Amino acid sequence: MQHAKKKARRTRLTTGGAVVALGLAGVGAYSASAGGGRDAAPAVATEAAPAHTTATTRLTVAAATEAARAALAAAEAENQRVTVAVVDRDGKPLVTLRGDGAGPQSPESAERKAYTAVSWNAPTSVLAGRLAQTPRLKDIPGTLFLAGGAPVTAQGAPIAGIGVAGAPSGDLDEKYARAGVAALER
């Protein structure tokens, strides 16, 4: 009997907490004022003037998937076990395809190569060569300066990166990443 009362009380507390949370969520719809409460005026939504905004071109998930499949197919045609990652302009993952037998390190490496390529709008093999002059580049979080990443551009600006990891050499990884980029040029 005692257990049932505790459970019922817990249920009421949990339910009550949800009601309070919902009520607080509604408070955000009103602006703060000295009067507060029910008499508070609804917040006014404003939009930035077009002169203060930019439009960006983004790679679609369908296109990212097509590119990843093309890169993975190129690797599989040469019996290579790789992972392919496609990231957007902000370095956020769009698609990751891990091929059969790809190593456990390959998904993270592929994503980091893709991120590095889109961040600098250059193949990671080119960027790896820059480490001799600027060795601290490798300290930038999320980057990987090994061959295997290629940028995707539209109107001269980077919009995505494709990274491949798992082949025995970075040259092969990058060859497959470029196959992904080429699939988007058709």
Side-chain angles (χ1 to χ4, degrees):
M1 185 82 152
Q2 186 105 9
H3 178 69
K5 282 184 179 180
K6 284 184 181 178
K7 185 176 180 185
R9 186 169 189 280
R10 251 185 306 198
T11 303
R12 280 195 305 274
L13 287 174
T14 303
T15 305
V19 170
V20 169
L22 288 173
L24 290 175
V27 171
Y30 294 94
S31 63
S33 67
R38 291 185 176 164
D39 297 330
V44 178
T46 59
E47 290 193 27
H52 300 296
T53 63
T54 62
T56 59
T57 301
R58 299 272 180 184
L59 191 65
T60 65
V61 171
T65 302
E66 179 183 341
R69 285 184 177 152
L72 186 59
E76 288 175 342
E78 296 182 3
N79 295 316
Q80 297 301 319
R81 297 179 180 110
V82 302
T83 295
V84 179
V86 181
V87 301
D88 67 10
R89 175 61 184 110
D90 301 323
K92 302 297 182 206
L94 289 170
V95 175
T96 299
L97 297 179
R98 184 173 177 190
D100 294 336
Q105 79 292 351
S106 64
E108 181 181 349
S109 297
E111 189 173 312
R112 289 175 62 194
K113 288 178 182 184
Y115 173 74
T116 305
V118 72
S119 294
W120 277 274
N121 193 23
T124 54
S125 60
V126 171
L127 296 169
R130 294 183 189 169
L131 287 179
Q133 297 89 8
T134 317
R136 302 286 316 238
L137 276 178
K138 69 181 182 323
D139 296 337
I140 297 172
T143 58
L144 187 58
F145 293 89
L146 297 175
V152 177
T153 60
Q155 301 165 358
I159 62 167
I162 300 175
V164 177
S169 75
D171 292 341
L172 287 174
D173 285 340
E174 197 159 307
K175 174 183 173 182
Y176 307 139
R178 289 179 189 268
V181 173
L184 298 173
E185 295 172 347
R186 297 180 214 139

